[in-house]
Amino acid sequence: MKHTKASALVLAIAVSLMAAAKDKPLYLDTTKPLEERVEDALSRMTTADKIKIIHAQSKFCSSGVPSLGIPELWTTDGPHGIRPEVKWDEWHQAGWTNDSCVAFPALTCLAATWNPEMAHLYGVSIGEEARFRGKDVLLGPGCNIYRTPLNGRNFEYLGEDPYLAGEMVSEYVRGVQENGVAACVKHYALNNNEHWRSNTNVIVDDRALYEIYLPAFKAAVQKGGAWAIMGAYNLYDNQHLCHNDRLLNKILKGEWGFDGAVISDWGGVHDTREAITNGMDLEFGTWTDGLHEGASNAYDSYYLALPYLELINKGEFGTDELDDKARRVLRLMMRTAMDSSKGLGEMCSPAHYEAARRIGDEGIVLLRNEGGILPLGGDKSMKILVVGENALKKMTVGGGSSSLKAQREISPIDGLRAAAEGMATIDFARGYVGDITGSYNGVVTGQNLEDNRSPRELIDEAVAKAADADCVIFIGGLNKSDGQDAEGCDRTTYALPYGQDDVITALAKANPNLVVVNISGNAVAMPWADKVPAIVQAWFIGSEAGNAIADVIFGKVNPSGKLPFSFPVKLEDVGAHSFGTEGYPGIKRDGVDLWDINYKEGVLVGYRWLDTKKIKPRFAFGHGLSYTDFKLGKLTADRTEMDADGNITLSIDVTNTGSRPGAEVVQLYISENKPVVLRPAKELKGFRKVALQPGETKTVTFTITKEALSYFDADAHRWVAKPGQFTAHAGTASDDIRSSLRFKLR
Ligand code: BGC
């Protein structure tokens, strides 16, 4: 009897479980196609539910639909590590003790690797950290084009070339999204400086828009398959970019077929009607004092919250736009928060530190090495003097929204000391005092960098010690304070701050063996460059900064980084700065709080300007030395003429002729010989990083199609390659072309 009762119970449970499984709504069934699931979820939602999921409910999180079991969506900055937790409705720290992360190198360093494999590794690693912290959307990477070295936020971007940025951003996106975490590519688009960023209207011609400023975003969407994109703060065509009909509706969603969600930059939405019609899908960060004024939920006053519902209720809008937004947000949720197959991720793992160090090692650029004074080492009694605030300063705190709470950060001096053990002695002199602060939204470095000595006293001390050293390493540059490499404002000068030029000049006189390590996310003026035998561009490298710098200085790693942007001699050499205030920072409109900035240099951005105008830079785009030597052979092609629908394969041998293993980046540039429209002297259309043992040769091939020969014809609104002669140039930098050949497009 007992047995029968138990069997009946088991049977009843089994039947009800089967029924439950059968009843599982389609939208939760991950075996069903995504679009069917989205439509099913949408059909079960009320208008109020749909409104609920298209705006934030806290600083970094938006609502799900609890009654349908659709979870919240959690976002996080990005792009160099996972931001520490803030309070629900405030920017200040939540005070968690388990939210520190690995700080990966800044994106300029990643771009300088010229290695898409590193971008993929970066994406996978940071995506795993996001996953472990329960985040669904990573606010990054950024791929705005480097237009001026004054832009405070260039360190978060991928340099001045649309092709390089596109190849790198798409791999980063793929890597992140392999974790079931969306990359939210930012800041779409034309956000090329920070000064007055919310009140600046960009005027740019369509050729520059399509050839320079959009390709990296397009690559992120089409090659990388990005699930989210962030609108920018500024304006284009007199409309804010978070609700910009042309950029969001026509180009992103129309021409490129983007099916993901457009997320606003924090506070980037300004108008309900425009947000409804002009492509904004998910509103975040709109300022509100609702909580202080006693509203039950401050987020109800967001532009895409109750004000939107009111317009629907009044009959001013139907629900077509709302359905489209909700669909996009649901798609994003199903790809991330509702992906039950995604992994658990990991945080601060040895693998992540190793990835950070590899990317740092590969991104450091050896700019100059006269007489081969680097790498140091070999001589046990060597006395090294390190000078400069940036040798000490922790750089992962500050700079704006990319600020991090790193689990550990090896400073340059600590990295050098550890590496020099048993090999050299290291002494230190401060040299200059820059910015001794180190805090952001409640995260503090805890470093006491106070030093009240005068600039003269500091220089005198450094010079006296330098005279007695075998070698001096000056470590300076910019930092993450306002007016340097930081969000929200631009630099005010191209020169190094805090009197560093004086320190470097004095050191160069005191000791001929001077190495300058510049830490920055931007080019800086280097008036002393010819007097300094070795210059290293070291970026903001994050947790492994000191170790990576030491790897290169002492030769554990043979440098292979290449500049992702030019280092002009002076600011006036930059295209954006050649047209007075109209070109940068813009001209104020009468009677309104709005500036117009005119990108008058058109497509001639970065090296495209310098090459075409024949202006010699201090260090060219693509430049970077090695401790070994590489020889490039003769560029050859599989044909001399190419059909419009065909392609041409170009090959070149590269040989390591030195005595150390190393890696060279073979760069392929194309120019049109007799263009009917103004075209840059040459443009990057291919690159390949090749690792070679001493004496080893490899053949690099590039297959290019008409796409690489085309310019954007604004009148016809299409890409055009005119039949005629083109030249392909292969080299190791934009100013170091080793072999060229002509071919014809039929
Ligand atoms: C920045 C974004 C960032 C967001 C959230 C904004 O100020 O421009 O890049 O993702 O804040 O912190």
Side-chain angles (χ1 to χ4, degrees):
M1 186 65 182
K2 236 179 167 182
H3 175 74
T4 325
K5 256 191 177 169
S7 313
L9 190 63
V10 169
L11 191 68
I13 292 172
V15 169
S16 73
L17 278 178
M18 272 162 67
K22 225 177 174 182
D23 284 342
K24 184 163 144 186
L26 192 152
Y27 69 93
L28 290 178
D29 184 350
T30 49
T31 63
K32 291 283 186 294
L34 177 67
E35 292 311 307
E36 281 179 32
R37 295 176 58 208
V38 168
E39 290 310 317
D40 183 55
L42 195 70
S43 70
R44 296 165 193 260
M45 288 164 66
T46 63
T47 302
D49 289 338
K50 293 173 191 170
I51 292 277
K52 212 174 163 58
I53 65 166
I54 63 164
H55 63 270
Q57 63 168 358
S58 83
K59 279 278 175 246
F60 283 100
C61 147
S62 59
S63 174
V65 188
S67 58
L68 293 177
I70 296 178
E72 295 166 340
L73 192 75
W74 278 91
T75 69
T76 176
D77 283 301
H80 304 145
I82 307 305
R83 186 176 178 150
E85 299 297 327
V86 297
K87 290 185 175 162
W88 189 260
D89 195 44
E90 289 170 34
W91 289 112
H92 215 76
Q93 296 307 294
W96 289 20
T97 50
N98 58 352
D99 59 348
S100 47
C101 65
V102 172
F104 294 92
L107 291 196
T108 32
C109 179
L110 173 64
T113 67
W114 287 58
N115 187 350
E117 272 176 38
M118 287 299 112
H120 189 259
L121 174 68
Y122 196 128
V124 168
S125 311
I126 195 171
E128 283 170 353
E129 300 238 332
R131 189 60 264 129
F132 188 80
R133 281 267 300 280
K135 307 301 181 192
D136 306 304
V137 180
L138 178 79
L139 303 174
C143 60
N144 294 85
I145 290 294
Y146 185 115
R147 176 175 179 256
T148 158
L150 299 189
N151 178 16
R153 236 177 153 178
N154 278 336
F155 72 102
E156 288 187 67
Y157 301 141
L158 293 158
E160 72 185 24
D161 183 79
Y163 180 77
L164 174 66
E167 292 298 292
M168 300 302 281
V169 76
S170 48
E171 281 307 316
Y172 181 123
V173 168
R174 278 192 221 214
V176 171
Q177 296 189 167
E178 280 168 24
N179 293 286
V181 171
C184 180
V185 183
K186 63 195 192 183
H187 305 89
Y188 180 74
L190 299 168
N191 184 182
N192 308 99
N193 56 269
E194 289 294 289
H195 194 55
W196 299 319
R197 64 181 177 181
S198 297
N199 304 52
T200 297
N201 178 54
V202 173
I203 300 167
V204 61
D205 62 58
D206 266 15
R207 259 196 79 191
L209 181 66
Y210 275 80
E211 290 184 28
I212 305 292
Y213 297 101
L214 294 184
F217 288 101
K218 185 178 179 190
V221 168
Q222 295 192 334
K223 251 185 115 178
W227 294 334
I229 205 157
M230 184 187 287
Y233 278 131
N234 48 309
L235 299 90
Y236 161 70
D237 230 358
N238 296 311
Q239 266 174 3
H240 276 102
L241 282 152
C242 282
H243 25 86
N244 190 287
D245 184 46
R246 179 151 197 236
L247 255 65
L248 298 179
N249 286 338
K250 305 233 164 43
I251 299 178
L252 175 69
K253 295 179 180 177
E255 293 177 18
W256 303 347
F258 174 68
D259 71 355
V262 176
I263 297 181
S264 74
D265 200 343
W266 268 230
V269 176
H270 302 271
D271 183 88
T272 297
R273 286 180 179 77
E274 278 197 7
I276 294 172
T277 55
N278 292 356
M280 172 46 51
D281 300 317
L282 183 47
E283 178 188 0
F284 266 96
T286 303
W287 184 81
T288 168
D289 65 358
L291 286 183
H292 301 118
E293 289 185 350
S296 61
N297 179 2
Y299 296 87
D300 283 347
S301 59
Y302 269 33
Y303 292 99
L304 288 183
L306 295 184
Y308 188 4
L309 197 56
E310 269 165 37
L311 292 178
I312 292 178
N313 289 340
K314 278 201 278 181
E316 201 175 310
F317 283 93
T319 52
D320 285 357
E321 296 93 348
L322 179 61
D323 283 346
D324 181 58
K325 293 177 201 304
R327 262 189 201 102
R328 288 172 181 276
V329 173
L330 283 169
R331 225 173 261 139
L332 179 61
M333 287 172 161
M334 288 182 187
R335 285 167 164 161
T336 59
M338 294 170 74
D339 171 5
S340 51
S341 69
K342 62 183 183 265
L344 296 171
E346 61 192 43
M347 193 87 199
C348 297
S349 61
H352 291 178
Y353 280 108
E354 197 194 315
R357 186 159 177 175
R358 276 183 72 193
I359 297 160
D361 283 346
E362 271 206 36
I364 291 174
V365 184
L366 180 62
L367 294 175
R368 186 174 154 88
N369 195 17
E370 287 303 295
I373 83 160
L374 287 177
L376 304 180
D379 175 3
K380 283 213 162 112
S381 58
M382 188 178 218
K383 282 181 0 195
I384 299 174
L385 173 70
V386 174
V387 182
E389 183 169 287
N390 282 357
L392 309 174
K393 194 168 169 75
K394 296 202 171 166
M395 296 285 196
T396 55
V397 175
S401 56
S402 62
S403 180
L404 296 171
K405 183 160 124 191
Q407 188 198 43
R408 68 164 198 250
E409 177 178 348
I410 313 284
S411 67
I413 187 95
D414 286 347
L416 289 168
R417 282 206 167 112
E421 210 163 309
M423 201 162 54
T425 59
I426 294 201
D427 192 8
F428 177 75
R430 182 66 173 266
Y432 69 95
V433 175
D435 189 331
I436 62 166
T437 59
S439 74
Y440 185 81
N441 276 0
V443 178
V444 292
T445 60
Q447 288 187 296
N448 181 0
L449 295 177
E450 212 176 299
D451 193 324
N452 294 320
R453 286 175 292 171
S454 70
R456 192 63 272 153
E457 286 171 302
L458 293 167
I459 291 181
D460 286 348
E461 181 205 35
V463 164
K465 286 187 172 186
D468 191 36
D470 296 312
C471 167
V472 180
I473 307 176
F474 175 84
I475 306 186
L478 306 178
N479 56 39
K480 297 285 193 64
S481 304
D482 286 356
Q484 307 284 319
D485 280 325
E487 180 183 339
C489 40
D490 286 345
R491 298 164 68 197
T492 51
T493 161
Y494 186 46
L496 280 176
Y498 318 127
Q500 291 177 76
D501 288 343
D502 294 340
V503 187
I504 296 168
T505 309
L507 289 173
K509 276 193 199 134
N511 192 316
N513 296 325
L514 174 62
V515 179
V516 169
V517 177
N518 180 57
I519 294 184
S520 71
N522 256 317
V524 298
M526 295 183 171
W528 32 260
D530 295 341
K531 300 191 191 84
V532 173
I535 306 176
V536 175
Q537 177 59 31
W539 320 111
F540 299 107
I541 299 179
S543 285
E544 291 289 329
N547 288 337
I549 290 170
D551 285 345
V552 166
I553 296 283
F554 291 112
K556 186 169 170 196
V557 161
N558 189 352
S560 63
K562 298 277 182 178
L563 287 179
F565 50 80
S566 321
F567 269 59
V569 173
K570 50 190 192 306
L571 197 61
E572 301 80 68
D573 292 349
V574 178
H577 293 278
S578 304
F579 302 94
T581 49
E582 212 183 333
Y584 177 92
I587 294 195
K588 190 172 181 315
R589 269 194 220 172
D590 280 348
V592 267
D593 205 11
L594 195 65
W595 280 259
D596 283 304
I597 185 167
N598 197 332
Y599 289 12
K600 288 190 132 183
E601 70 283 10
V603 295
L604 299 182
V605 174
Y607 69 91
R608 287 166 166 79
W609 173 270
L610 295 164
D611 273 7
T612 310
K613 302 285 176 189
K614 300 194 168 36
I615 302 169
K616 208 171 143 27
R618 174 81 64 200
F619 297 110
F621 172 79
H623 170 77
L625 305 172
S626 165
Y627 295 148
T628 187
D629 295 309
F630 298 98
K631 193 171 136 278
L632 261 58
K634 201 166 148 26
L635 185 64
T636 58
D638 64 344
R639 66 200 67 200
T640 53
E641 294 196 358
M642 170 180 157
D643 287 332
D645 54 358
N647 56 41
I648 183 165
T649 297
L650 301 154
S651 308
I652 189 161
D653 283 352
V654 49
T655 306
N656 180 348
T657 55
S659 53
R660 283 171 181 261
E664 180 56 288
V665 179
V666 181
Q667 305 165 30
L668 180 79
Y669 296 86
I670 303 278
S671 43
E672 183 172 354
N673 296 0
K674 285 195 182 132
V676 288
V677 295
L678 171 85
R679 297 201 71 177
K682 63 179 185 299
E683 300 185 87
L684 184 75
K685 296 294 171 182
F687 64 89
R688 198 78 32 79
K689 193 165 205 174
V690 197
L692 294 163
Q693 293 299 318
E696 194 185 3
T697 298
K698 281 184 185 159
T699 305
V700 177
T701 59
F702 301 97
T703 298
I704 58 163
T705 61
K706 193 178 142 188
E707 201 189 329
L709 314 180
S710 305
Y711 67 92
F712 189 76
D713 180 338
D715 295 334
H717 196 75
R718 65 188 173 92
W719 290 90
V720 172
K722 290 256 191 278
Q725 292 281 346
F726 290 81
T727 304
H729 313 268
T732 58
S734 64
D735 68 344
D736 191 5
I737 299 303
R738 307 280 180 92
S739 181
S740 300
L741 69 76
R742 287 166 155 242
F743 63 95
K744 194 170 166 186
L745 174 69
R746 269 202 295 260

